[in-house]
Structure formats: structure tokens, C-alpha cells
Amino acid sequence: MPDPYSIAGGQLLGQLLLERGLLRAADLEAGLGYQAVHGGRLGAVLMRMGSITADSLYPVLAEQLGLGLVRAVELDEDALRAALALLGSHSRYLLDSAVLPWQDEHGGWHMASADPLQADLRESIAELALCRDAVWHLMPEAELAQWQQRLAHTDLVSQALDVRALRELAEDAPVIALVNNLVAQAVEARASDIHLEPGEREFEVRLRIDGVLHLRQTMGMDRYPAVASRIKLIAGIDIAERRLPQDGRISMRAAGTEIDVRVSSIPAVFGESIVLRLLPKRRADLSLERLGMRPVQLASFRRWLGMANGLVLVTGPTGSGKSTTLYSALAATNDSTRKIITVEDPVEFRLPHVIQVQTQADIGYTFARALRAFLRHDPDVIMIGEIRDRETAEIAIQSALTGHLVLATLHTNDALSAITRLVDMGVEPFLVAAALRAVVAQRLVRRLCDNCAKAGDAPAAVIDAALALALSDAAGDGMAQDDLPRWRRPVGCPACERTGFRGRIGIYEMLSLGTELQHAVAQGLTMDRIEALANTQGRRSLAQEGAMRVVTGMTTLEEVLRATGGAGAD
């Protein structure tokens, strides 16, 4: 008997998905091959393989099967409970069969199922006098399970599950499909992270999109041990250990994309909180031009990367895009004439022709120890994932002074603070002055959606200040006053999921240490005097740079204030 989910409405489901651009031909071929050997619905197979998400699959299925598509948010809990009460003892059978019943305003019965074509199920329910003429609807399995748990009042699963039971839960086919679908949905939504946060009776799945967390779905805590165990199992984490933080990594395919997933779990009050960091294996956007630097900034950054030696720092808080900037810098310097070595914790992206080393603190292989070994490999460029302590800072400085170009990150609020941070770590000011060539401080702000952003009004003071900054660099940027767009405001549309923003762009504070600044640092002058000197040489603060992004219509003032928090303001 043909699979009704493969041949939907007389048409091949796979072909429909291909025609609508929801599936790649290679993924369909792999899915059909798997189905031929192992059986199962084609749609379920494709979701399990991470080739397509439920959000993409179910609308096509519903249309082709001639069924209505019902989403969890469309159902009313009171109506569902009232229907179950009318069905009496039969309600348990419906919930156990993953069927949700309700009545419309005319008393007609409706049934929602993730697999409404099951003949046995429909025949059994048709035997119920009340439901004989019920209208059937299609509903995504994960969303249906949320209501199923909520209505059944299922007691929470005991936390004393043994390793064998946890492993069996993790290998359950619906759990595998659920986890794969979560990751695929996150990839389609351009999320950078997936946050699984357990509560007393429910756990939340939140996605970080363009730097902001969005609630994706809520599920009952009875499902959490299985979901958490599945993630830990494929990440190589001890599924029995729930008292200590753990880290792991997954390589998988989701939504047609090869990705690495960095997994971190920490113990919390109601269970382990798990975060999955999504890292595409192929980064076609690792180019300096895509970072969002203004032309004059990009020219300066390229000049620094072309130096034979010295220390170039990229600073900012966690999540400000420092790693992307450094990887883009390495890609720009990777011309096969220079030997490049990196030390990272962890290695986020694999780069061709670059020796990448990951630290392992548990065996004593720290940043400092790796750097000492690096120097015996005659590198031209060294990238340090993060300068965290005095020992690492001193080796980085010495490397920069002995003929190596050193790129590194540092956690500071602005570019000038990097000088203070190195001195506070114990590095002598004269060494900082001799080695440090430049500092880039950065933040990421959400970019206005070009599809729906509208012209608006801005405070005159903001426009004047930002316009003055833009025109001061107009010659270098190739812009004229008439070319500058004006203030825009967010609106919201399907393309940006009603947020008004789509994607992010960097704002950068660039500090070049010329002879005068090096002399001031070596003398140990106060930061106020160093800042005043830097300003006379053309330094622009993060707040000023953000204001220019506002006046050129790329983002909003609220976004700049959220991202900078006044960092680097004059």
C-alpha cells in the first residue's frame, strides 16, 4: 500500500516540497533511500534527518490531503476540556491516541491528530455516536503533545531514572524527531542559540535570534528527561551526571545545513538548563566586507592585518561578535604565504590551511602553555581566543615583540579600556606601548528590516550629532550629505517575524596606537589624558558610531542604547 504521506492528494509529497523550495534534491534522495530500507512516513523521515522542519512540512501536507491545519495556539483549553468531559470514559482513549477533540459553535465535532489518516483510529472514533461525523484536522506532533500532557495532568517523571532508562528514552523515535526538529527550526529562524530552561511543571524552549531571546514553545516536564538525555547522548555528555556542569559537541545536518552544535548543561533548581550554540560548518560570510565596518575603518583594519608584527586586540562583551571578526581577519590574511596558528576554547569554526588548537584545562593544556609551544613552530600569525590572565598576556606581548602578528580578544567595554586591562593584569606599561598596535571595540545591533521599515522622525540632537560624524568622514566613506538616508522606524512583517528587525550589523570603535599614544601609555599617563589625545587623533566612540547608524537608517536609537549601554560615550 503506498504511503499516503508520500503520495499526497495524488501528487508526490517530495516533489511538492522540491517545487516550493523547502527541500533539496539530495535530501529527498537520502530520505527516500532511508524510507525504502526502514519504512515510515516520508515526512517523518525527512524531519528526523533534519532536512525539513514541521513548520515547512505540515502546511504542505494539510493542503494536499485536503485537511485543515490546526496550530496549538489556536485551540481553547476550556473548549478542549469541555469536549473531553462530554466524552466521559472515552476521553482517556483519545488522549492516549494523541487525538484532541472539540466542538464548534454549532455543536459539530472536530478531531486533531498528527496522523489523521490512520484507518484504525478513525474507525474506532467513528464508533462513538457523538463523533461519527467529526471533521478531522492535521496538527504538528510536537504541538499536539503539549496539549496532550496539559490535559492529561500527567505526574512528573521521577528524577531517579537510571542510566538504562535514560538511554532508552533518548533513543525513542519521537524524541529523536523532536530534538532534530527543534534544531532545524532554529536554523531556519537564523537563531544563534537554543535555550532549554526547565521549570516546576513545564520547560521552555527559547531561541536567540539577532541577539534577542524569543519563546518558541513550552512543553511538559514529563518530556524533559527524554529531551535532555537525547541532547546529552549525541553530544557525548554523561547522561547520568546531573549535578555538575558539562560541555559537549554535536555535528549534524539540520534544515539542509551542516552545522556544529556546542552544548552546555548546568544544574538548576528544576533540572539541567541546556544551551545549544549553533555554528554553521560553512561560513561563506567570513569576509571583512560583511562585518559592517565603514570604509575608512575597513581600510585601517586591513592595514593592521598587513603588519609584520604587533598585537591587535578585539574587545567587547560575550556575544558581541568578536570571534566572527577574528575569523574574518584570519580569512583575509590566509593567503598561503604566512603560517597561521590559533589557540581557542573552544574552536568554533574550522578554517582551511590554519593550524587550530583547542585548550584542555583539565590536563593543564592552557592558553599560555599552548602559546609557548607555538613559538617553536615558526608562525607568522597567532590568534588567541581570549587573553584571560597575566601569563597569557605576557606571552602574547613577547610574541608580538619578536616578529609575530598576534590577534586576540579581551573582555572590556571599549577600546581604551584594553590598555588599562593589560596593565591591571600585571603587564608593564612600556611593554603594552611597545607591542600594542591597535584595538577594535565592537557591539552588534539589530538591523532594521528593509522589507517593512518606514521613514520616521528623530530627535534633532541625535540627527545633528550623527550627521556631523558622518560628514566628518564623508571623504573617506565616499558619501555626500545628499546621499545619507534619514531616520527609519521598525514596523514588522512576516519576513522579520513581526519584530521589525532582520539580521545584525556591527558598530566599531577603532583605536590606532601611533607614536604619541604609545609614548603616553609608556609614561603611565591617566586614562583621561590618553582619551583626550586619542580623540584629537580622530577616535570615534561606540555611541558616536551607533548614532551614525541611526541617522543612516540602519537601526534605531533604542537598539544602539541597548547594545552600547553608553559604552564609549564622550
Side-chain angles (χ1 to χ4, degrees):
M1 178 178 178
D3 176 6
Y5 282 81
S6 295
I7 307 175
Q11 300 184 61
L12 291 172
L13 174 62
Q15 188 62 39
L16 289 172
L17 294 172
L18 284 178
E19 291 174 357
R20 301 186 184 192
L22 300 173
L23 184 67
R24 299 192 323 165
D27 292 332
L28 174 59
E29 184 177 349
L32 290 172
Y34 183 95
Q35 184 190 40
V37 176
H38 301 284
R41 305 289 198 199
L42 178 60
V45 168
L46 292 173
M47 285 199 297
R48 181 170 181 174
M49 294 173 62
S51 301
I52 193 171
T53 66
D55 288 340
S56 298
L57 173 66
Y58 278 94
V60 178
L61 271 179
E63 180 182 342
Q64 296 307 311
L65 297 175
L67 298 174
L69 178 64
V70 177
R71 308 308 296 258
V73 296
E74 299 172 9
L75 298 182
D76 179 74
E77 184 171 354
D78 290 338
L80 292 172
R81 292 193 181 280
L84 290 171
L86 282 174
L87 292 170
S89 60
H90 301 296
S91 63
R92 172 55 59 184
Y93 170 75
L94 290 178
L95 289 178
D96 288 344
S97 302
V99 175
L100 294 181
W102 73 93
Q103 287 181 290
D104 57 31
E105 62 272 18
H106 304 296
W109 282 89
H110 297 259
M111 301 284 169
S113 170
D115 192 1
L117 298 187
Q118 296 180 74
D120 293 344
L121 176 64
R122 296 183 69 144
E123 289 175 6
S124 298
I125 293 178
E127 292 176 2
L128 303 177
L130 287 175
C131 308
R132 186 164 299 142
D133 299 318
V135 177
W136 284 82
H137 303 267
L138 186 67
M139 188 173 186
E141 182 178 9
E143 297 181 21
L144 192 145
Q146 295 177 37
W147 276 113
Q148 186 182 16
Q149 187 276 333
R150 187 169 175 177
L151 296 168
H153 294 294
T154 306
D155 292 332
L156 298 182
V157 176
S158 170
Q159 297 300 307
L161 293 170
D162 59 25
V163 176
R164 183 175 179 179
L166 288 171
R167 189 173 295 275
E168 289 177 354
L169 286 174
E171 296 290 356
D172 195 26
V175 175
I176 294 173
L178 173 59
V179 171
N180 288 348
N181 192 51
L182 283 177
V183 177
Q185 285 183 351
V187 171
E188 281 195 345
R190 302 176 297 105
S192 60
D193 305 87
I194 305 173
H195 294 248
L196 282 75
E197 301 170 340
E200 186 173 2
R201 289 199 162 269
E202 295 178 326
F203 73 94
E204 294 181 341
V205 178
R206 299 200 289 171
L207 304 183
R208 187 177 295 280
I209 304 172
D210 294 335
V212 178
L213 283 172
H214 299 268
L215 178 63
R216 193 68 175 191
Q217 59 182 289
T218 302
M219 288 183 257
M221 275 298 291
D222 63 316
R223 308 191 74 188
Y224 195 68
V227 173
S229 296
R230 176 62 190 171
I231 294 171
K232 292 167 68 176
L233 181 67
I234 59 178
I237 295 176
D238 183 359
I239 61 175
E241 179 57 73
R242 298 187 293 275
R243 301 165 300 171
L244 297 173
Q246 296 189 86
D247 296 294
R249 195 172 192 130
I250 308 167
S251 290
M252 64 186 301
R253 185 178 186 82
T257 303
E258 296 289 338
I259 61 170
D260 282 326
V261 184
R262 207 168 73 203
V263 180
S264 176
S265 70
I266 57 173
V269 174
F270 296 112
E272 289 177 285
S273 176
I274 299 176
V275 175
L276 293 80
R277 182 80 183 272
L278 308 182
L279 306 166
K281 286 187 176 181
R282 294 182 181 178
R283 291 292 301 268
D285 58 347
L286 284 180
S287 63
L288 295 179
E289 289 76 9
R290 294 180 66 93
L291 292 178
M293 294 180 180
R294 295 185 291 113
V296 289
Q297 294 178 324
L298 183 58
S300 296
F301 196 49
R302 287 189 181 279
R303 186 174 66 254
W304 300 336
L305 296 178
M307 295 185 300
N309 59 70
L311 175 63
V312 178
L313 293 175
V314 179
T315 75
T318 301
S320 60
K322 300 187 300 297
S323 294
T324 299
T325 298
L326 280 184
Y327 279 116
S328 298
L330 290 179
T333 59
N334 189 10
D335 57 4
S336 300
T337 65
R338 294 198 275 185
K339 184 178 181 69
I340 304 174
I341 303 181
T342 75
V343 55
E344 308 167 61
D345 181 23
V347 174
E348 294 191 1
F349 301 120
R350 269 69 170 185
L351 297 174
H353 314 302
V354 175
I355 305 300
Q356 295 177 269
V357 176
Q358 181 163 320
T359 61
Q360 300 184 60
D362 54 337
I363 61 172
Y365 193 46
T366 61
F367 279 99
R369 188 170 179 180
L371 284 172
R372 290 195 191 92
F374 282 6
L375 298 179
R376 293 191 289 272
H377 283 243
D378 190 27
D380 297 293
V381 181
I382 299 172
M383 192 270 270
I384 305 172
E386 183 184 348
I387 296 179
R388 299 176 177 175
D389 50 48
R390 175 179 177 176
E391 188 177 14
T392 304
E394 288 180 339
I395 299 174
I397 294 285
Q398 291 299 329
S399 300
L401 291 173
T402 54
H404 306 89
L405 176 62
V406 180
L407 309 177
T409 70
L410 196 64
H411 282 276
T412 64
N413 285 329
D414 55 28
L416 287 167
S417 299
I419 298 170
T420 307
R421 179 79 174 120
L422 290 173
V423 173
D424 289 344
M425 283 183 176
V427 181
E428 293 293 340
F430 73 90
L431 289 175
V432 174
L436 190 59
R437 297 288 182 267
V439 185
V440 179
Q442 68 179 77
R443 298 290 190 279
L444 293 176
V445 295
R446 289 187 295 172
R447 190 169 196 156
L448 283 166
C449 175
D450 290 330
N451 191 56
C452 63
K454 301 293 184 183
D457 296 324
V462 173
I463 290 182
D464 290 343
L467 190 57
L469 171 62
L471 293 178
S472 70
D473 287 327
D477 283 356
M479 296 187 302
Q481 183 169 353
D482 293 340
D483 296 329
L484 293 172
R486 291 298 183 265
W487 179 280
R488 293 196 302 170
R489 60 182 176 83
V491 177
C493 67
C496 60
E497 298 188 3
R498 306 294 176 185
T499 63
F501 299 92
R502 184 173 176 83
R504 290 189 289 178
I505 189 169
I507 54 175
Y508 301 88
E509 174 191 347
M510 315 287 273
L511 178 67
S512 178
L513 273 79
T515 304
E516 290 185 68
L517 273 175
Q518 286 180 323
H519 185 64
V521 173
Q523 285 186 313
L525 297 184
T526 64
M527 191 50 59
D528 287 342
R529 295 182 62 183
I530 293 176
E531 181 178 355
L533 179 59
N535 290 342
T536 63
Q537 296 180 358
R539 167 187 167 266
R540 308 295 183 186
S541 70
L542 283 168
Q544 288 175 309
E545 290 291 340
M548 197 185 82
R549 299 299 187 185
V550 173
V551 82
T552 53
M554 292 185 180
T555 188
T556 66
L557 178 61
E558 292 78 11
E559 265 299 295
V560 171
L561 293 175
R562 180 188 66 82
T564 65
D570 289 335

